[in-house]
Every structure is written in structure tokens, then in C-alpha cells.
Amino acid sequence: MRQMEFKMERTGLLKEGDVLPVTEGRLPDSYYYTLGSAFAMSANYKYRERLKSSEGKVVRVHETEKGFFVTVEFDE
């Protein structure tokens, strides 16, 4: 299992247990991922850290002083 953290701008969009699709975006030197219908976005990842799964399960939704975050688990 692989876990990744995504940043959300608003709370209440997702809950633990939700299974959502993930879309890969490409930058010149890295990749980023969008969760569901733009509910949240990931950090940038290098080629060797690329995600192989097309959907993941929300395992945690939490708030920090930097905003709202979602931890998603993938079968990898």
C-alpha cells in the first residue's frame, strides 16, 4: 500500500472511506495528481515516484495550520 497526501481548499468535500479516481498531470520535470473532480491536489513528484493506480481510498481527512489535507491509500 502507498499513501499520498493531497491539499484541499475547503472541508466537507470528502469523508473517510470514499474511493475516488485520480488524474495525473505533467509538468516539465515532474508529475502532480488531482483527486476526484478537483477536490484536492497533490505535491509534485519525480518520474521515479509516479503513481501507478487510477483510484484510491480516503483514509484520513484533517486540518493543520496550513489548511485541509486528505490522506489517500493506493494499491501499489
Side-chain angles (χ1 to χ4, degrees):
M1 293 295 204
R2 174 180 177 178
Q3 290 190 350
M4 292 173 62
E5 192 166 75
F6 292 78
K7 172 106 170 52
M8 282 193 311
E9 294 300 319
R10 299 181 327 214
T11 188
L13 300 174
L14 305 171
K15 63 184 181 311
E16 291 180 14
D18 287 348
V19 177
L20 299 166
V22 65
T23 306
E24 181 178 78
R26 186 162 197 255
L27 298 170
D29 294 328
S30 59
Y31 295 86
Y32 65 92
Y33 298 94
T34 305
L35 189 60
S37 300
F39 292 125
M41 290 189 70
S42 73
N44 295 336
Y45 292 90
K46 296 293 181 189
Y47 179 79
R48 69 180 182 278
E49 302 170 318
R50 249 176 118 176
L51 185 62
K52 296 173 183 77
S53 299
S54 60
E55 68 178 19
K57 181 179 178 181
V58 175
V59 293
R60 183 173 178 221
V61 178
H62 60 283
E63 181 180 6
T64 69
E65 66 276 353
K66 293 184 179 185
F68 302 103
F69 291 89
V70 179
T71 304
V72 180
E73 190 172 73
F74 299 94
D75 288 329
E76 291 198 5

